[in-house]
Structures are given as structure tokens and as C-alpha cells.
Amino acid sequence: MFFGSFEDSQKIEYVTSLSAISGLMLTHIRKAMNIAQADMGKLFNMSHATYRSIEKGETAINADFIFMLCGIIEKKFSFYFELLEDIANHLTSVEKDPFNNECIVNLIPNGDFQKLLNNMSSDDFAIAPSIDKINILIDQDMYLFLSPELKLRMLQLTDKVIMKDQVKEIIKITSDEVEDVVQALKKSELDTNGLNSVNHAGTLSSASAIALYSTLLSPIGLPVVAGLGLYKAYKKSKENKKK
């Protein structure tokens, strides 16, 4: 974390990682969806601590998780990773930090970044731009480094808001109920009002399936079905482990 300004002839060095960048993106997605960290974790059978560590960049993000999430938020898998790459390229090319200090941002491997976070005490980290302590770039500190264009693309990660009662139902969804949603999507005929106006009576019988289906906003052209198909398999594997 940092604040204030720093005047020195030497460049200030910051370090970050792809996991930290992805964590920032996930934070923006989750907040746009109006979902708490604990509930976001429950959607994917993760503990609150595990999901929180992903947002902080302490845990590398699994590609399966991103693919499933992209299915739910109705974004192309490629959109997520193109933005991740563009943010990484931007950060490593900046020459001045948000406080006009000359700087350099180094991208280090996720494993090294996680060790750095886990093995160092709070005394080792800078609370302001510093040349003699490690300046870790995570969370909203990183956001300050982004260009207006990248900030706009962050906002475009999702325009979906999920109501609390929907979240509670989706958390309880089973693999069979996810499959019911997939089949309903395949049979849906879009009208001018979109998916939410399609009558799925008789196709979806559970509150959890209806809650997930009702969050969908966009035409099926987006890779919703593929992402939900993986989500179904993920739920199935978790169910099998409980047996």
C-alpha cells in the first residue's frame, strides 16, 4: 500500500504479478455483481479465505475457474485474458507512478510473488513510495496506475447485478440443476426482450435453476453454454467427493 509523494533522483521500483492483476479484475467483477467475497467463494465451493487470497494475488487463479466465471458473467474467455495481458503490458511500460515519481514496475512469477507476500513481515513493505523497501502493487493501488482506457475496459468486464436472494439459491445449485439450465438455454427462442422473458415453465423446476437462468442477460451467442457445462462438471466432481 502507498500514499503521498516522494522526491528522489532514483526510480522507485514496484513489483506485481499476473495473479495480482487477475485478483484486481476479480474484485471489480464481484463488486459489479454486488456479491460478497464469502458468497463468491461459495458459488465455486471455495472457503472465504481461499477466495480472498485469490483476490489479493496470494493464490494463483485456475483457468477452469475463470472459464466458469466467464460463462456466468457472459463474457468471452479471451476478453478476460486479453485485458489481463494489456494491463500487464501497460504496467511494465509506465515511467511515472500516480504521484509523478519516476518508477519501474517489474512483473515477477506468481510463485515468487506469493512467497514474497507470505514470507515477509509488514515492516518489509513500504507504506509510501520507497527506494529502500519493497513496493508491492496490488488491489486499488494497482488500479491507480491504469490508463483511462483500461479502467473503462475493467468496467466492461460485467454489467450484471445478482440479487441476494438469487445468490443464495445459486450457491445451492446441483450439477443436475446446472444441466437443466443448459438445456433450457439451448431450447430458448429469443424475443425482443431477451432471455429473461422466455417462458421456461416445465423446463426448470428448482428455485436454484430458475435463479441462475434468470441472471442471464445476453443472447446465447456468448460462450454461456460452454462455461456452464464446465460448471456442471465441477459441481459433479464436488458432489462425488462428498459421497
Side-chain angles (χ1 to χ4, degrees), residues 38 47 49 74-76 81 95 106-108 115 120 148 152 154 159 162 164 178 186 205 208-209 211 218:
S47 69
E74 300 168 88
K75 286 295 179 182
K76 291 184 177 180
F81 282 99
E95 296 180 348
N106 288 319
L107 195 67
I108 64 176
K115 289 178 182 177
M120 298 182 68
L152 177 61
M154 289 274 282
D159 54 5
I162 300 181
K164 290 184 179 180
V178 176
K186 290 180 177 179
S205 57
S208 294
S218 304

Side-chain angles (χ1 to χ4, degrees), residues 144-202:
L144 295 175
F145 279 72
L146 302 186
S147 66
E149 184 267 338
L150 288 172
K151 290 178 180 178
L152 177 61
R153 287 171 63 190
M154 289 274 282
L155 291 175
Q156 294 170 343
L157 277 169
T158 185
D159 54 5
K160 176 179 295 189
V161 175
I162 300 181
M163 300 296 101
K164 290 184 179 180
D165 58 338
Q166 290 177 315
V167 173
K168 290 180 181 178
E169 290 298 335
I170 296 172
I171 285 172
K172 298 184 292 185
I173 202 165
T174 66
S175 59
D176 288 341
E177 290 168 336
V178 176
E179 176 60 21
D180 289 343
V181 174
V182 171
Q183 293 306 315
L185 291 174
K186 290 180 177 179
K187 295 175 182 177
S188 295
E189 294 181 2
L190 292 173
D191 60 19
T192 57
N193 295 315
L195 284 176
N196 285 332
S197 65
V198 177
N199 183 3
H200 50 65

Side-chain angles (χ1 to χ4, degrees), residues 2-229:
F2 61 80
F3 56 85
S5 62
F6 183 85
E7 295 183 2
D8 194 283
S9 59
Q10 294 181 264
K11 287 186 178 181
I12 297 173
E13 184 176 352
Y14 297 91
V15 295
T16 192
S17 70
L18 291 178
S19 61
I21 297 171
S22 197
L24 174 66
M25 292 167 62
L26 284 178
T27 299
H28 275 253
I29 290 173
R30 177 181 59 77
K31 289 182 177 179
M33 293 171 69
N34 194 34
I35 296 179
Q37 282 185 338
D39 288 337
M40 191 70 153
K42 289 177 183 177
L43 285 175
F44 297 94
N45 297 89
M46 297 178 186
S47 69
H48 184 187
T50 297
Y51 179 76
R52 183 177 61 233
S53 70
I54 290 175
E55 280 197 5
K56 291 175 65 178
E58 294 175 346
T59 300
I61 298 174
N62 185 288
D64 287 351
F65 167 72
I66 298 300
F67 192 73
M68 290 185 288
L69 179 62
C70 286
I72 292 174
I73 65 174
E74 300 168 88
K75 286 295 179 182
K76 291 184 177 180
F77 191 57
S78 58
F79 181 91
Y80 186 98
F81 282 99
E82 284 170 5
L83 179 55
L84 177 69
E85 180 181 10
D86 289 347
I87 291 175
N89 288 334
H90 170 77
L91 291 174
T92 54
S93 67
V94 297
E95 296 180 348
K96 289 190 176 181
D97 68 17
F99 307 103
N100 210 35
N101 302 308
E102 290 191 0
C103 72
I104 183 171
V105 178
N106 288 319
L107 195 67
I108 64 176
N110 290 333
D112 292 345
F113 189 76
Q114 290 152 27
K115 289 178 182 177
L116 193 62
L117 292 176
N118 293 332
N119 295 336
M120 298 182 68
S121 69
S122 59
D123 292 337
D124 296 317
F125 296 96
I127 59 173
S130 170
I131 60 171
D132 55 9
K133 287 189 176 183
I134 296 176
N135 296 279
I136 301 291
L137 206 53
I138 56 174
D139 300 331
Q140 293 308 303
D141 292 344
M142 184 190 298
Y143 184 76
L144 295 175
F145 279 72
L146 302 186
S147 66
E149 184 267 338
L150 288 172
K151 290 178 180 178
L152 177 61
R153 287 171 63 190
M154 289 274 282
L155 291 175
Q156 294 170 343
L157 277 169
T158 185
D159 54 5
K160 176 179 295 189
V161 175
I162 300 181
M163 300 296 101
K164 290 184 179 180
D165 58 338
Q166 290 177 315
V167 173
K168 290 180 181 178
E169 290 298 335
I170 296 172
I171 285 172
K172 298 184 292 185
I173 202 165
T174 66
S175 59
D176 288 341
E177 290 168 336
V178 176
E179 176 60 21
D180 289 343
V181 174
V182 171
Q183 293 306 315
L185 291 174
K186 290 180 177 179
K187 295 175 182 177
S188 295
E189 294 181 2
L190 292 173
D191 60 19
T192 57
N193 295 315
L195 284 176
N196 285 332
S197 65
V198 177
N199 183 3
H200 50 65
T203 304
L204 301 176
S205 57
S206 72
S208 294
I210 292 171
L212 178 58
Y213 185 93
S214 297
T215 67
L216 301 175
L217 305 171
S218 304
I220 297 295
L222 292 174
V224 178
V225 172
L228 291 181

